[in-house]
Amino acid sequence: MKKQVWIGVAVLLATVIGAASVWLSTQDAQAPGGAGQAYKPTGRAAKPVAEAAPRASARPPHPFPDLPRTREGLDTHQDPFGTGHPEEWRWLDQHGFPNGAQWTRYQQASDAELDQAARAGDTVAATMRDARRLGADPKAESRLLAAAAEGDLFALGLLSSWKAGARADGIPEAYAVSRVAEMRGDLTTALHREMMLGARLTSEQRLLAEAEALHLNLHLNALYRQKHGVDPPPVEMRPYRADPDDTAR
């Protein structure tokens, strides 16, 4: 559990700092494509619309072609998001979480490099690019939600962290987005949610946030049906190996 708490803090700090720096330096940045509105805690979740992926022939070269895209062959004991469980590594790869090499490199990458990697088809780079643009690009949130509809739970984690740090009245929204990630299989969000939020919700705030989470979860399911014509696949719960320090108590 200690490692998961550290992960929550790291993601929160990286996202807030990245978004703030982008707002200061690229207020006029425009993202290619995308549509939708920012998420509002009003019982009507944002309407994310998926962007059409560029044809392979039209894609630019990846700026980091040698960077591993999965956890295969990596030292997963140094993974920033996993506990060392082999099944968990597979789950993390399938749900949008960067491996250690991607996490380190993309945090240091320029905005232009992340955008080029995203246009080359790198979904992890696209998620981290859009997280940086939160607060500056009105379509960034919709793109993160569209990615979440496709199974990218890392996108929900970054969005929730940003909402928790952007302003005090965003905490109920952050809670709702975090609960959606939990509903969609990432039970470890509960381990660091309270620390990420930085404040406790009142009973009324929590009730409203739970209702908003249910609405947003259904909305993401509807988006998947709209795009693919079928129901979303069953939720796959994250394999989790408990910390020995926790089970020894």
Side-chain angles (χ1 to χ4, degrees), residues 14-94:
T15 306
V16 173
I17 292 172
S21 64
V22 170
W23 185 86
L24 290 171
S25 62
T26 62
Q27 293 187 47
D28 60 344
Q30 296 295 323
Q37 300 176 347
Y39 174 75
K40 302 293 183 184
T42 59
R44 293 177 299 171
K47 190 174 182 180
V49 178
E51 298 180 34
R55 298 190 305 271
S57 59
R59 290 178 177 176
H62 198 292
F64 313 113
D66 297 328
L67 198 67
R69 303 279 285 273
T70 70
R71 285 165 170 77
E72 185 177 357
L74 298 181
D75 181 3
T76 48
H77 290 88
Q78 301 299 320
D79 195 290
F81 298 99
T83 60
H85 192 294
E87 282 300 302
E88 186 182 30
W89 306 336
R90 178 190 58 79
W91 187 95
L92 291 168
D93 284 339
Q94 293 180 349

Side-chain angles (χ1 to χ4, degrees), residues 171-188:
I171 291 177
E173 298 177 49
Y175 179 95
V177 176
S178 174
R179 283 286 291 123
V180 173
E182 191 174 358
M183 293 173 187
R184 300 177 85 83
D186 192 359
L187 298 179
T188 66

Side-chain angles (χ1 to χ4, degrees), residues 184-220:
R184 300 177 85 83
D186 192 359
L187 298 179
T188 66
T189 58
L191 297 176
H192 54 78
R193 181 180 296 121
E194 296 300 328
M195 178 173 289
M196 178 196 69
L197 295 179
R200 291 186 177 275
L201 301 180
T202 65
S203 298
E204 181 181 5
Q205 286 176 321
R206 189 179 297 271
L207 182 62
L208 292 174
E210 288 286 353
E212 188 65 23
L214 291 171
H215 182 86
L216 178 57
N217 191 48
L218 292 174
H219 194 85
L220 296 182

